[in-house]
């Protein structure tokens, strides 16, 4: 079958890639702007606009004073790597902005707290730009408040999302996905097959809270053993959180779906904005991850490789992306005369791309927490640079587990 690119599609379909805030804009798709296929062919690896993150050296305290105010934080909770189970051996993150948003850095945001085993991805809803609002302002602030909640001791991902939502008083809205590692040592006494290894290998649980169409997956041995489903009110209108005073249509943090996924050494937690999942299915993400691990690459290098794959697909006009597959399932396609010629709607979806990767391992093999300022054994500039890359916070369809040797117990929490 011949396949038409999005350039040949009807104007209403060409506007699919720009997502509206929920509410009046949701009922007026003619106000959407943008397109799935971009004209830019810039590779993210060579782009100065690609961002890592500034180190999260201080966040607002439990009362959420402005970040510019030097307020003391309460003692952090025990890091995931401090328990005898699993820890985070390596982590990394990258943001690749849509080429049209390169100057401002895009509208995705994320936070990475390796020592606390906590990670998050937020995607500012781009439709706010039509109202003269910068979508990045909300997602950036949400990531900051979510990271602050974890540092203050919160470990429940839904509660982290709720706490951030309560404290972000910025016009806009965003999707949110938060994952927190609970490290525990267990030995297999369960009757459930695949629940834990039978050889006493340490295992832990990743608790994932997801609202909207950002998401997370667990990769194991080149396969996707779990991925979060997207939450949408309708096609391309995801669940989203906003400041209720200005955006009463906002969804609630209690709408977030929460999952508990058993993990083991060698697993990889991969999180991303819809710019990743709309262009790369979880199966392919797991394959890219396995190839990077096989080459001995770090989590940061793996995040960059996954983001590069997503970018390559996003500018490929002949690629049948997960986004266009879903569009066709929802009744969007080329004009009738093109369908008569055997054409169909295809093409990558240009968007901001956020990717977070964490490699899990036996806690004894994971880096020890960095010493507090003034303690002996500092470690010098090299360790400080590594810490800055590992503990970061900034703006930035496979539904459940495959039944195979790499199966993993998944619990959907109430």
């Amino acid at each position: 079958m011949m396949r038409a690119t999005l350039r040949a599609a009807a104007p209403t379909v060409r506007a699919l890639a720009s997502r509206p805030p929920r509410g009046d804009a949701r009922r007026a798709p003619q106000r959407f702007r943008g397109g799935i296929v971009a004209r830019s062919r810039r590779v993210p690896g060579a782009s100065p606009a690609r961002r890592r993150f500034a180190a999260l050296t201080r966040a607002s305290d439990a009362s959420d004073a402005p970040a510019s105010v030097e307020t003391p934080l309460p003692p952090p909770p025990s890091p995931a790597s401090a328990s005898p189970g699993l820890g985070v051996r390596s982590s990394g993150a990258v943001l690749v902005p849509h080429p049209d948003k390169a100057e401002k850095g895009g509208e995705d945001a994320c936070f990475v707290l390796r020592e606390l085993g906590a990670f998050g991805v937020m995607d500012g809803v781009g439709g706010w730009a039509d109202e003269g609002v910068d979508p990045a302002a909300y997602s950036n602030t949400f990531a900051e408040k979510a990271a602050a909640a974890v540092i203050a001791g919160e470990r429940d991902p839904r509660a982290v999302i709720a706490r951030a939502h309560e404290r972000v008083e910025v016009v806009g809205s965003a999707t949110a996905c938060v994952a927190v590692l609970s490290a525990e040592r267990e030995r297999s006494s369960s009757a459930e097959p695949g629940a834990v290894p039978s050889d006493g290998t340490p295992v832990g649980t990743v608790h994932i809270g997801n609202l909207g169409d950002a998401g997370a997956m667990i990769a194991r041995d080149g396969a996707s053993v779990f991925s979060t489903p997207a939450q949408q009110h309708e096609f391309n209108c995801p669940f989203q959180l906003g400041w209720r005073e200005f955006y009463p249509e906002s969804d609630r943090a209690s709408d977030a779906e929460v999952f508990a996924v058993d993990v083991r050494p060698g697993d990889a937690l991969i999180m991303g904005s819809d710019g990743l999942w709309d262009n790369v299915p979880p199966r392919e993400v797991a394959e890219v991850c396995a190839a990077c691990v096989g080459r001995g690459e770090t989590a940061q290098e793996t995040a960059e490789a996954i983001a590069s794959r997503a970018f390559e697909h996003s500018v490929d006009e002949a690629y049948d992306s997960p986004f266009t597959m879903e569009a066709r399932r929802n009744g969007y396609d080329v004009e009738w005369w093109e369908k008569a010629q055997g054409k169909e709607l295809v093409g990558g979806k240009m968007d901001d791309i956020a990717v977070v990767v964490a490699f899990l391992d036996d806690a004894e093999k994971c880096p020890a927490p960095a010493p507090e300022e003034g303690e002996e054994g500092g470690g010098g500039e090299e360790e400080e640079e590594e810490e800055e890359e590992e503990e970061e916070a900034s703006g930035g369809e496979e539904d459940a587990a495959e039944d195979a040797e790499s199966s993993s117990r998944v619990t959907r929490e109430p």
Side-chain angles (χ1 to χ4, degrees):
M1 175 182 287
M2 294 177 62
R3 288 178 168 177
T5 68
L6 199 56
R7 296 181 192 282
T12 53
V13 181
R14 288 168 53 187
L16 286 175
S18 181
R19 304 182 304 167
R22 188 178 170 211
D24 291 340
R26 179 178 169 224
R27 295 188 290 272
Q30 68 274 11
R31 299 173 61 192
F32 296 3
R33 288 202 297 248
I36 299 173
V37 180
R39 294 175 174 80
S40 173
R41 299 283 174 173
R42 196 154 40 113
V43 178
S47 169
R50 187 187 65 190
R51 295 183 289 151
R52 291 192 183 182
F53 308 96
L56 180 66
T57 55
R58 181 173 295 276
S60 50
D61 64 358
S63 62
D64 285 305
S68 60
V69 178
E70 297 268 332
T71 54
L73 287 172
S78 299
S81 58
S83 76
L86 287 191
V88 180
R89 174 169 51 85
S90 173
S91 62
V94 63
L95 298 174
V96 181
H98 188 298
D100 292 345
K101 308 171 188 175
E103 289 187 5
K104 60 175 286 188
E107 295 159 0
D108 288 352
C110 35
F111 70 86
V112 174
L113 299 170
R114 182 190 63 80
E115 292 183 5
L116 299 180
F119 311 89
V121 171
M122 291 78 200
D123 180 0
V125 175
W128 284 100
D130 293 346
E131 310 295 330
V133 173
D134 179 5
Y138 190 90
S139 58
N140 289 347
T141 308
F142 198 104
E144 176 188 322
K145 300 299 185 183
V150 174
I151 292 174
E154 186 56 70
R155 305 292 294 175
D156 180 339
R158 183 185 281 148
V160 170
I161 292 172
R163 188 162 167 178
H165 186 210
E166 292 168 359
R167 287 161 171 75
V168 179
E169 297 183 350
V170 175
V171 178
S173 61
T175 64
C177 184
V178 172
V180 179
L181 173 64
S182 173
E184 326 171 44
R185 182 178 291 279
E186 299 179 15
R187 294 189 176 274
S188 182
S189 58
S190 171
E192 295 185 44
V196 293
S198 59
D199 59 0
T201 301
V203 301
T205 303
V206 172
H207 298 272
I208 301 170
N210 185 58
L211 187 140
D213 57 3
M217 62 171 283
I218 301 296
R220 179 181 301 154
D221 300 326
S224 168
V225 297
F226 170 78
S227 61
T228 55
Q231 288 182 304
Q232 299 193 82
H233 294 284
E234 59 189 29
F235 174 64
N236 207 38
C237 183
F239 281 45
Q240 53 200 267
L241 299 172
W243 187 13
R244 284 188 168 274
E245 182 174 335
F246 286 89
Y247 183 43
E249 298 93 343
S250 169
D251 293 296
R252 299 180 181 276
S254 58
D255 294 324
E257 291 187 293
V258 182
F259 305 88
V261 188
D262 281 352
V263 289
R264 60 187 71 170
D267 286 355
L269 167 66
I270 302 166
M271 305 177 71
S273 62
D274 66 318
L276 171 61
W277 309 118
D278 283 345
N279 287 295
V280 191
R283 168 191 51 78
E284 187 175 353
V285 172
E287 291 170 356
V288 173
C289 181
C292 291
V293 171
R295 294 192 293 267
E297 295 181 355
T298 65
Q300 179 63 41
E301 292 169 323
T302 302
E304 293 176 2
I306 293 171
S308 292
R309 178 67 62 88
F311 185 87
E312 291 164 5
H313 283 338
S314 75
V315 298
D316 186 346
E317 300 175 16
Y319 173 61
D320 195 11
S321 65
F323 183 78
T324 49
M325 291 181 190
E326 185 66 18
R328 294 197 303 271
R329 283 192 289 268
N330 282 270
Y332 296 93
D333 213 328
V334 296
E335 298 287 2
W336 66 269
W337 62 84
E338 293 176 299
K339 289 186 70 68
Q341 297 172 4
K343 298 178 181 180
E344 64 179 6
L345 177 68
V346 295
K349 177 196 170 190
M350 280 302 301
D351 201 351
D352 298 327
I353 301 166
V355 181
V356 173
V357 175
F359 289 161
L360 310 180
D361 208 339
D362 189 324
E364 297 175 355
K365 300 178 182 178
C366 297
E372 296 293 334
E373 185 176 350
E375 289 185 355
E376 294 183 4
E381 292 182 1
E382 191 171 326
E383 278 192 18
E384 289 178 10
E385 286 182 13
E386 182 177 344
E387 183 184 355
E388 286 183 358
E389 290 183 1
E390 298 292 351
E391 289 197 353
E392 304 149 331
S394 178
E397 225 157 18
E398 297 171 42
D399 183 3
E402 297 175 6
D403 260 344
E405 293 181 358
S406 59
S407 63
S408 184
R409 184 176 63 188
V410 178
T411 304
R412 187 188 294 264
E413 299 182 345

